[in-house]
Amino acid sequence: MKQYIKKLLVLPLAAIFFLGACTDNFEEMNTNSVGISDEDLKADYQFIGVHFPQIQQMIYCNYNWGWGVNWPFQIMQNLNADIYSGYMMTPTPFAGNVNNTTYALVDGWNASAFDYTYAYMMPAVLAVKNKAEVEFPSFYAVSRILKVLGLSRVSTQYGPIIYSQYGESKTGGEYDKESDLYNNFFTDLEEAVAALEKYVEDNPDAQPFAKFDNFFGGDYNKWIKFANSLQLRLAMRIVKVAPELAQQKAEEAIKRGVFTEGDIAQIVANGYTHPVAAISGSWGDISMSAEMESMLSGYQDPRIAAYFNAPADEAVIAAGYEYKGIRQGIAIDDKATYGGHSLLNLAPESPAVLMTAAEVYFLRAEGALRGWEVGGSAEALYEAGVAASFAQHGVGGLEGYLSSEALPAAYVDVKNDANSVAADSEYMNKVSPMWDAADNNEVKLQKIITQKWIAMFPEGIEAWAEYRRTGYPVLFPVVKNDSQGVIDSDNGIKRLNFSVSEKNNNPDGYAKAVQYLGGPDNGATNLWWDVDGPNF
């Protein structure tokens, strides 16, 4: 795609322009220019609500800013987290096949998640704060939940980010170190929940947010459950570095009420299209991963047809494969070599799923392993998580699946056997779906995270974070490592490099961020919560 490559080449300049403009021209960007004032719009909340489509849709990077709505997502998430999570792999040898997939981190790609979030999402968040904090607390509460959701995703990619001081200076503000960042996340979520609970109590039938809500149709009770569920997710994220705080915040969230079966947080809006539907189905730039093929086919998992399409490659079909993935970090000469492997089964109208009941059940199952008060046993919550995922995708066979002792299948690269992985390899994720009470907690956790990994597909940011936090599921290392010795193939990518525009435009902030990071600004430096060693 020549047009797309050209866009990649000019991205850093565009990103720097918009990042610099997001504070300098803030008043101009958020002032109506057609003669209707904020006072005129207050009657139906339009003067606040107008900002929410931009906030909500930018979380999954599909806001239509006039250049098209899919290619920014490709470099914000799809060519990093979606691949590093073990979910997907591209058949396209971008930049001569020396790129993020082979650990040669491309600055023009790495900066985009940071630059676009601060250029498009955060000015709208700040606009809502300025307009609603005092007079319209329920709108402000929702914006705080969305701020935590959006920036917690960005932080899992980079580490320290600008949060509490955002908007305080023309350079964007000071960075928060990650330990402070998570405390700020919890404060925002708890205060937002309290504000929404009060509003619902005082106005039980009111739905002022309905016409602006791309998540829950204006139902504040669902926003409350989502905020609590998000707090549970973030509490578990820090369990290895702040175990007491993690337990406290997790238990508090569960007591207030979290997602249960049937609950889901997803972006559904008129005109919204799922970016990966285009990236995979239209462009053919992202496909099933080798690990997904190995685990789903080995487990005979009925969700495989909901996730992926059959391959089109004649050699793959002739070899008898119903689905075929691509291994990350291999030598690819041209797109045609692997372009006929399984694409993702996503339609343009597919919602962008950000959190499910299944994920929450698995989080609670891990909490039960740790002795927390989570409202159930690890086994019961684990099985509830699998059941919720099966129900979400409309597949049957749950009882047989939960009693299965099947293991992941060997991976065979029909184009190059050097990329194949044997069933007895140390890189195979050797656990079955069946729960065994006799297993130790580490094995039980591996089962929980493996099933959570399957259930969260295709949301790669959270899956990549959980892989780094726990080491599960076990993934295949890259074959071709172009990091020049910076990144260990077995350890994998730990984070993305900070934005080049921050180095140039906010040098003091950047220096502080690297100091907080505690290591070099490269893909091998662990984030604060990513602690090497056992999980218990």
Side-chain angles (χ1 to χ4, degrees):
M1 298 183 65
K2 292 181 180 179
Q3 183 180 7
Y4 171 70
I5 297 298
K6 288 179 181 178
K7 287 177 179 176
L8 283 182
L9 293 175
V10 301
L11 172 66
L13 290 177
I16 289 169
F17 170 78
F18 285 112
L19 184 60
C22 76
T23 51
D24 289 351
N25 300 326
F26 178 78
E27 291 300 328
E28 178 182 343
M29 290 169 63
N30 291 284
T31 300
N32 191 288
S33 59
V34 293
I36 302 176
S37 70
D38 281 350
E39 287 299 320
D40 296 326
L41 295 171
K42 277 187 178 181
D44 60 1
Y45 305 102
Q46 285 284 353
F47 83 116
I48 306 173
V50 67
H51 301 290
F52 279 93
Q54 184 167 338
I55 298 170
Q56 293 175 92
Q57 294 178 35
M58 268 306 299
I59 287 171
Y60 211 73
C61 185
N62 207 25
Y63 185 71
N64 190 347
W65 36 52
W67 311 329
V69 295
N70 296 312
W71 69 266
F73 181 89
Q74 187 171 31
I75 49 177
M76 284 183 69
Q77 175 171 335
N78 194 237
L79 289 173
N80 56 71
D82 289 345
I83 291 174
Y84 301 150
S85 66
Y87 278 164
M88 311 172 204
M89 176 54 189
T90 178
T92 308
F94 293 111
N97 202 45
V98 180
N99 56 54
N100 282 27
T101 70
T102 64
Y103 294 178
L105 297 182
V106 179
D107 281 339
W109 297 5
N110 300 329
S112 56
F114 185 99
D115 288 346
Y116 282 136
T117 298
Y118 285 96
Y120 289 95
M121 176 185 166
M122 290 306 294
V125 169
L126 186 58
V128 173
K129 181 178 187 295
N130 290 339
K131 293 177 179 181
E133 183 175 8
V134 175
E135 199 171 352
F136 301 96
S138 69
F139 280 78
Y140 177 50
V142 173
S143 76
R144 295 176 81 178
I145 297 168
L146 288 167
K147 178 184 177 183
V148 173
L149 174 63
L151 290 189
S152 65
R153 289 163 60 81
V154 173
S155 178
T156 67
Q157 293 173 287
Y158 299 98
I161 57 169
I162 300 168
Y163 190 83
S164 63
Q165 299 299 309
Y166 172 76
E168 296 296 322
S169 72
K170 290 185 178 181
T171 59
E174 300 241 347
Y175 283 70
D176 289 19
K177 62 182 178 182
E178 290 179 88
S179 56
D180 291 342
L181 186 62
Y182 277 78
N183 282 321
N184 290 328
F185 289 160
F186 296 139
T187 296
D188 274 343
L189 291 173
E190 290 166 354
E191 291 183 357
V193 166
L196 290 178
E197 287 177 337
K198 185 177 188 309
Y199 185 89
V200 170
E201 181 180 356
D202 294 344
N203 308 273
D205 299 319
Q207 289 195 326
F209 190 53
K211 68 176 68 175
F212 314 111
D213 190 359
N214 295 165
F215 277 59
F216 303 116
D219 188 334
Y220 281 158
N221 287 307
K222 290 184 178 180
W223 277 102
I224 290 168
K225 290 181 74 175
F226 174 55
N228 293 332
S229 302
L230 181 56
Q231 177 166 314
L232 173 59
R233 172 196 281 178
L234 297 175
M236 193 63 75
R237 179 73 41 75
I238 64 172
V239 69
K240 291 169 75 171
V241 289
E244 293 181 1
L245 179 63
Q247 180 177 355
Q248 175 195 339
K249 295 303 180 182
E251 291 180 346
E252 289 174 355
I254 292 167
K255 287 177 182 177
R256 291 197 303 266
V258 294
F259 276 2
T260 53
E261 188 167 352
D263 290 326
I264 191 167
Q266 58 186 8
I267 303 172
V268 181
N270 291 333
Y272 182 90
T273 60
H274 200 299
V276 182
I279 295 167
S280 185
S282 298
W283 306 348
D285 275 344
I286 203 72
S287 302
M288 180 188 210
S289 71
E291 291 90 346
M292 266 285 167
E293 179 199 339
S294 170
M295 282 184 250
L296 294 182
S297 63
Y299 294 154
Q300 298 181 12
D301 195 309
R303 290 168 288 187
I304 194 169
Y307 290 177
F308 300 104
N309 293 319
D313 190 295
E314 293 183 1
V316 172
I317 297 169
Y321 291 98
E322 296 182 18
Y323 300 92
K324 180 52 64 178
I326 309 170
R327 184 171 176 179
Q328 181 190 161
I330 59 173
I332 301 176
D333 294 328
D334 57 66
K335 188 172 182 176
T337 304
Y338 294 96
H341 286 43
S342 291
L343 300 175
L344 276 68
N345 185 11
L346 282 170
E349 64 272 17
S350 297
V353 177
L354 290 159
M355 179 173 270
T356 66
E359 179 191 343
V360 174
Y361 281 125
F362 291 125
L363 286 164
R364 291 170 62 192
E366 180 177 347
L369 282 186
R370 298 183 180 280
W372 298 356
E373 294 292 331
V374 296
S377 69
E379 179 178 4
L381 291 165
Y382 167 81
E383 293 185 348
V386 178
S389 180
F390 272 47
Q392 177 188 338
H393 295 288
V395 300
L398 176 65
E399 184 176 346
Y401 187 84
L402 288 173
S403 63
S404 171
E405 297 183 69
L407 297 175
Y411 170 71
V412 177
D413 185 332
V414 299
K415 303 291 183 172
N416 183 352
D417 192 55
N419 301 324
S420 299
V421 183
D424 62 354
S425 167
E426 65 179 301
Y427 299 115
M428 277 289 172
N429 188 60
K430 299 172 187 173
V431 292
S432 71
M434 186 179 74
W435 187 267
D436 186 344
D439 286 334
N440 63 35
N441 277 356
E442 196 70 39
V443 173
K444 289 176 180 176
L445 180 63
Q446 186 175 359
K447 287 176 181 274
I448 290 169
I449 300 300
T450 296
Q451 289 301 320
K452 179 158 68 166
W453 180 82
I454 294 172
M456 289 191 300
F457 182 85
E459 179 30 51
I461 283 184
E462 185 60 22
W464 180 33
E466 287 297 83
Y467 170 67
R468 285 174 287 165
R469 177 178 72 87
T470 67
Y472 302 129
V474 179
L475 302 179
F476 306 153
V478 297
V479 177
K480 181 176 183 284
N481 187 329
D482 293 316
S483 71
Q484 306 298 314
V486 172
I487 300 164
D488 183 87
S489 296
D490 285 337
N491 290 338
I493 297 281
K494 294 295 188 177
R495 59 179 294 277
L496 301 181
N497 300 344
F498 285 123
S499 166
V500 172
S501 65
E502 280 293 280
K503 295 181 185 179
N504 295 333
N505 298 342
N506 187 12
D508 292 339
Y510 169 75
K512 183 68 75 172
V514 174
Q515 177 185 333
Y516 288 154
L517 189 62
D521 178 18
N522 62 38
T525 298
N526 290 36
L527 300 187
W528 170 65
W529 46 262
D530 178 10
V531 177
D532 295 330
N535 290 293
F536 296 93

